[in-house]
Amino acid sequence: MMQPQVIVHALAYLTLAAGMTIYVSIAGIILGMGIGFTVCLARLSGGPILARIGAFYVSFFRGVPLLVQLLFIYYFLAEFGIDVPAMAAAIGGLGLASGAYQAEILRGALNAVPLGQSEAATALGFSRASIWRRILLPQALRISVPPLINEFTLLLKASSLVSVVGIAELTRVSMNIASSTYRPLEAYAGAGLFYLAINLCLAGLGNLAERRLATGAAR
């Protein structure tokens, strides 16, 4: 029979662990945004070398499991004298992996914007920067919000893997609680509730962003 008091007693530890999960996830998302946008531009640049480098990056980081990437950054680089702190390895691994997915989401969104709009803007004398700022990016952002929110949700859940490099996030802490209390059901149920609450908040923010972008487009 489940003993809820175990969850209550562990609430403070799980709350701190949830904060760590949110921190590494947000940092990984932000890093992934920068990488994803850069890789997306490389793939759409029209230059064969940049496009191939971008394609290789996407193929590599989508093809290699995140767990292997984290272990490579934290342990393998140390063999060559590159000592990567656990937090840097966790955020770097999440960001590098997320960047590959975000790059493809953004590329698909930009390709979904009708080419005729850019051609018409060019004919009207718009600069390339103005076309990107006023035509391409606003529409691509509206298109990409749902898949990006889905990617952020998946990244948040995948952040449980950073426990392999010693980060005390939700999964790691719940495992410690389970081993010390001999009550794995309550420990993992508590962690699951925190994951659910965080993802529901993320989904709510995504819905809010969609509505705001839709309102702005209607004006």
Side-chain angles (χ1 to χ4, degrees):
M1 181 179 295
M2 180 176 285
Q3 299 180 9
Q5 65 271 21
V6 175
I7 300 178
V8 174
H9 291 158
L11 192 59
Y13 299 104
L14 290 174
T15 301
L16 290 174
M20 180 59 69
T21 293
I22 294 171
Y23 174 76
V24 296
S25 298
I26 291 177
I29 287 170
I30 293 173
L31 177 60
M33 283 181 175
I35 295 173
F37 187 71
T38 303
V39 174
C40 175
L41 291 180
R43 298 205 65 184
L44 296 176
S45 64
I49 296 178
L50 286 177
R52 288 175 183 174
I53 293 174
F56 174 79
Y57 178 90
V58 170
S59 297
F60 180 84
F61 283 98
R62 291 204 306 177
V64 178
L66 176 58
L67 179 60
V68 175
Q69 296 175 34
L70 289 168
L71 293 173
F72 179 88
I73 294 172
Y74 189 66
Y75 292 107
F76 185 75
L77 292 180
E79 296 292 329
F80 298 92
I82 304 174
D83 188 15
V84 181
M87 185 61 69
I91 295 173
L94 292 175
L96 289 169
S98 182
Y101 290 95
Q102 292 190 51
E104 287 300 277
I105 291 171
L106 292 173
R107 187 171 72 92
L110 286 168
N111 285 334
V113 179
L115 182 61
Q117 295 187 18
S118 298
E119 294 174 344
T122 301
L124 291 171
F126 282 77
S127 66
R128 188 62 180 167
S130 295
I131 292 173
W132 273 89
R133 180 173 57 86
R134 302 180 64 179
I135 298 174
L136 294 178
L137 287 180
Q139 295 186 74
L141 185 59
R142 286 194 295 273
I143 295 170
S144 63
V145 164
L148 281 176
I149 294 300
N150 184 59
E151 161 59 20
F152 297 161
T153 301
L154 292 174
L155 180 70
L156 191 144
K157 290 187 289 186
S159 68
S160 62
L161 295 175
V162 304
S163 60
V164 299
V165 298
I167 301 298
E169 44 69 60
L170 267 173
T171 299
R172 180 68 173 264
V173 170
S174 63
M175 291 174 63
N176 293 339
I177 293 171
S179 63
S180 62
T181 62
Y182 300 101
R183 301 297 304 181
L185 178 60
E186 289 83 353
Y188 296 133
L193 290 174
F194 270 97
Y195 277 118
L196 178 61
I198 296 168
N199 281 319
L200 288 176
C201 290
L202 182 58
L205 291 174
N207 291 332
L208 179 61
E210 283 189 76
R211 289 196 298 269
R212 286 186 175 274
L213 288 171
T215 301
R219 291 176 180 174

